[in-house]
Amino acid sequence: MVTLLAAPAEPLTNAGDTQLVLAALLGIAAVVLLIAWGKVHPFLALILGAAVLGVVAAVPVDKIVTSFSGGVGSTVGGVGLLIALGAMIGGLLAESGGADGIVERVVGRVSGTALPWAMAGVAALIGLPLFFEVGVVLLVPIVLLVSLRVNIPLIKIGIPALAGLSVLHGLVPPHPGPLVAIDALGANLGQTLALGLLVAIPTVIIAGPVFGNFIARYVPATAPAALLPTRRDAADDLSPTRPGDGRLDADGDLVTEDDLVNPGTGRPGGAIDEPAGRRSRRSPALWAAVVTVLLPVVLMLLRAIGELMLGEGTAGRKALDIVGTPIIALLAGVIFAMIFLGYRSGFSRTQVSGFLGGSLPPIAGILLIVAAGGGFKQVLVDAGVGNLVADAADGANLSPLLLGWLVAVGIRVATGSATVATITAAGIVAPLAATLQGPEVALLALAIGCGSLFFSHVNDAGFWLVKEYFGLTVGQTIKSWSVMETIISVVGFLGVLLLDVFV
């Protein structure tokens, strides 16, 4: 699910161009300085940065609050739910041992030097039908565990995975950005898909394994302990436990507020729903763990195929639209994991519920930060910063490919929204598309897609998603994630220009 944050019909302020530029720069600078120098929590820094932006842009205070709240709500309603459901899948994979099985198979089949390439390939394949946020929450547990097991720097395999997801998200339909550009420009979907894959392959290689191997030397990232998907062993938790402390008792059950006293034994902290002794448990089959990860992918892929092959309004199209909705697809993955990784592996209902609940607290901070990033972005958009960039580019005497890329770059950097950048840039260059031939129109759509990925920074919710999941500082995130996105944008655009010579 991708939240579309479009600019309003009328900006919330009548500020001039210079004032808007100054407001955007001061708002972004406030966020960076508060976090890097003031050591303020990113959630608060983003709120204060949005306030600085709005006040300098002369947006009424009540409109600042409304705009920021709307951005937070739309981001939580989209990305937030995906993060929560993905965390539940990751929690069940970790606690059941299913993630261990996947990692052991990957590590056993692929050597250490080939792992970054394997992660880029897996991410690109999974990212074909997946929105970027969904791919991140599904792949991060695997990336963290692979890094832990084979002692490879986290960034060295994390960047290739992120590159595979990001390139597919920005360049290849059925992702919303490419589809918006295709529709606005009248491009041929099949041509755009084929040319997009040609551009995507070398772009993923350069921005993924090649750049990841280089930047890993300068960004010594360590996975956050709370997000590390390691399996808990009940034998390590035999010390006395207090009700509600979230630890395992002697029987391997999570102690909750309901497990006050076992009437049969009178043992304080004893679980009331399990007999003494360890339940019979077994590691889940590899196929169950793999299906848990791929089920949401397959459901969303079926929806994408239905959109291309089935008529709108038909029964099959409606059914696939429902089951392929990202939230429904991830929910199906959670339910499948509960059954085949939980109950079928010998865990009780109480334990499975505990695993699900225990997966949520570690991501609470991530949810708030990502949501605040969405609010900051919405204030930027509603203040008219995106319109300012579009107006500056309108009428420029440049080639359509370069103009489309530059406009998308400007709006992406200013607003943090790849989708808003794509929509605006496609609208500006749409009249020029009528003068181009079929393949050139497809390349124009790809040029806009490349520009929409340029330099993700503090006004992009994805920036904070990556920062928190990989345990990076703001500076480390800029050096790794932001530079990676810029490499994708530049290398992808160079690939588009190269193809333009031959088509």
Side-chain angles (χ1 to χ4, degrees):
M1 176 176 292
V2 172
T3 304
L4 304 181
L5 299 177
E10 293 292 336
L12 299 179
T13 176
N14 294 320
D17 293 352
T18 302
Q19 187 175 354
L20 284 177
V21 171
L22 180 63
L25 292 176
L26 289 178
I28 294 171
V31 173
V32 174
L33 289 176
L34 285 170
I35 295 173
W37 179 76
K39 306 302 179 184
V40 176
H41 191 277
F43 175 67
L44 293 176
L46 286 163
I47 295 175
L48 296 173
V52 170
L53 165 65
V55 169
V56 176
V59 178
V61 175
D62 61 326
K63 298 294 181 60
I64 297 175
V65 175
T66 301
S67 177
F68 186 86
S69 300
V72 169
S74 59
T75 303
V76 171
V79 179
L81 290 175
L82 302 181
I83 292 174
L85 291 171
M88 287 183 171
I89 292 177
L92 284 168
L93 279 168
E95 296 294 352
S96 67
D100 290 346
I102 295 177
V103 171
E104 288 170 2
R105 180 61 61 92
V106 172
V107 173
R109 297 290 181 88
V110 181
S111 65
T113 56
L115 270 175
W117 298 83
M119 294 304 298
V122 170
L125 289 175
I126 291 181
L128 184 60
L130 285 183
F131 297 130
F132 176 77
E133 295 87 355
V134 184
V136 169
V137 298
L138 285 178
L139 281 180
V140 160
I142 305 300
V143 170
L144 298 181
L145 202 50
V146 168
S147 174
L148 177 69
R149 285 294 184 84
V150 298
N151 198 28
I152 287 182
L154 179 59
I155 291 296
K156 190 172 183 177
I157 59 174
I159 286 294
L162 293 172
L165 291 173
S166 184
V167 169
L168 272 292
H169 175 74
L171 300 183
V172 180
H175 290 284
L179 287 179
V180 166
I182 289 169
D183 181 68
L185 302 175
N188 181 279
L189 191 147
Q191 290 178 346
T192 308
L193 177 61
L195 294 173
L197 289 174
L198 287 177
V199 173
I201 292 173
T203 303
V204 170
I205 291 174
I206 295 173
V210 174
F211 175 66
N213 185 62
F214 168 78
I215 198 61
R217 305 175 215 167
Y218 305 99
V219 182
T222 302
L227 297 178
L228 200 59
T230 53
R231 190 179 184 183
R232 291 178 298 192
D233 188 353
D236 297 332
D237 282 309
L238 299 181
S239 57
T241 60
R242 298 185 312 274
D245 67 358
R247 300 176 62 189
L248 295 175
D249 67 5
D251 297 324
D253 283 325
L254 287 169
V255 180
T256 67
E257 294 292 344
D258 293 329
D259 300 329
L260 298 179
V261 176
N262 189 317
T265 64
R267 176 166 56 90
I272 61 175
D273 62 340
E274 295 285 350
R278 187 183 299 274
R279 289 171 60 96
S280 175
R281 293 171 189 153
R282 59 183 181 277
S283 296
L286 178 64
W287 70 265
V290 172
V291 171
T292 295
V293 175
L294 293 183
L295 179 59
V297 179
V298 172
L299 291 177
M300 284 182 274
L301 178 60
L302 289 176
R303 180 190 182 186
I305 294 174
E307 290 175 347
L308 299 177
M309 302 184 63
L310 300 179
E312 189 172 353
T314 61
R317 172 73 176 272
K318 291 180 179 177
L320 291 179
D321 283 346
I322 294 173
V323 300
T325 301
I327 291 176
I328 300 298
L330 278 169
L331 180 60
V334 172
I335 295 173
F336 181 91
M338 290 173 63
I339 296 172
F340 289 94
L341 300 183
Y343 308 139
R344 295 285 295 273
S345 295
F347 292 101
S348 69
R349 292 188 300 274
T350 301
Q351 290 172 301
V352 171
S353 177
F355 297 155
L356 293 174
S359 66
L360 297 178
I363 60 150
I366 296 176
L367 285 174
L368 289 174
I369 293 170
V370 170
F376 185 85
K377 176 198 303 181
Q378 191 62 45
V379 175
L380 273 170
V381 173
D382 290 346
V385 176
N387 291 339
L388 175 64
V389 177
D391 292 341
D394 194 16
N397 188 21
L398 298 172
S399 73
L401 294 181
L402 180 58
L403 178 61
W405 184 77
L406 287 175
V407 173
V409 165
I411 298 174
R412 160 68 162 180
V413 172
T415 68
S417 173
T419 305
V420 172
T422 300
I423 293 171
T424 307
I428 290 174
V429 301
L432 299 177
T435 65
L436 303 177
Q437 298 179 353
E440 291 178 322
V441 180
L443 290 175
L444 179 57
L446 293 175
I448 292 172
C450 291
S452 72
L453 299 176
F454 190 90
F455 195 73
S456 164
H457 61 102
V458 297
N459 61 355
D460 180 16
F463 177 93
W464 301 103
L465 188 71
V466 172
K467 173 189 177 299
E468 296 302 315
Y469 264 129
F470 286 87
L472 305 175
T473 65
V474 170
Q476 288 176 326
T477 311
I478 291 175
K479 287 192 291 186
S480 56
W481 161 255
S482 300
V483 173
M484 182 207 78
E485 287 282 84
T486 304
I487 291 173
I488 290 174
S489 179
V490 174
V491 172
F493 182 59
L494 292 177
V496 169
L497 293 178
L498 183 62
L499 288 177
D500 187 46
V501 175
F502 299 99
V503 299

